[in-house]
């Protein structure tokens, strides 16, 4: 249980640094908003998102989407990478 708490604390501590290095996709000409838990997103069509299929662990991601009114938005969030460690 202590390991989980330490891991969560480290992720929370380093997330701002990871996000500072993450840039919005080139096609996004909109402000990237930080996702907050419970935020209501009106997603009609996903236009682009960060490919984290070769990453492992918790990594930053950006999704660019069109809402039901046709406006384009971008949101930044953390997600698990698609790579799994096969060690051991």
């Amino acid at each position: 249980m202590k390991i989980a708490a330490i891991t969560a604390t480290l992720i929370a501590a380093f997330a701002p640094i990871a996000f500072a290095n993450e840039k919005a996709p080139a096609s996004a000409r909109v402000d990237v908003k930080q996702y907050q838990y419970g935020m209501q997103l009106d997603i009609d069509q996903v236009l682009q998102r960060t490919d984290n299929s070769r990453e492992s662990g918790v990594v930053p991601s950006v999704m660019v989407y069109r809402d039901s009114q046709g406006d384009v938005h971008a949101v930044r969030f953390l997600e698990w990478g698609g790579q799994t460690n096969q060690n051991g």
Side-chain angles (χ1 to χ4, degrees):
M1 196 64 159
K2 283 186 175 183
I3 293 175
I6 292 170
T7 303
T9 302
L10 288 173
I11 290 171
F14 289 110
I17 296 168
F19 284 137
N21 293 331
E22 179 73 17
K23 295 185 179 173
S27 65
R29 300 292 181 238
V30 296
D31 290 331
V32 179
K33 294 184 180 178
Q34 177 65 42
Y35 177 79
Q36 300 292 321
Y37 180 77
M39 181 186 283
Q40 297 295 314
L41 300 177
D42 175 17
I43 302 172
D44 186 53
Q45 180 183 20
V46 175
L47 303 175
Q48 187 176 16
R49 76 181 292 258
T50 306
D51 178 14
N52 287 324
S53 62
R54 294 187 176 144
E55 304 291 330
S56 61
V58 178
V59 294
S61 187
V62 175
M63 177 178 61
V64 180
Y65 66 94
R66 182 173 289 124
D67 67 15
S68 60
Q69 303 298 313
D71 297 325
V72 176
H73 305 273
V75 64
R76 180 181 295 122
F77 55 95
L78 292 174
E79 70 175 355
W80 283 102
Q83 192 71 19
T84 56
N85 287 335
Q86 300 292 325
N87 297 340

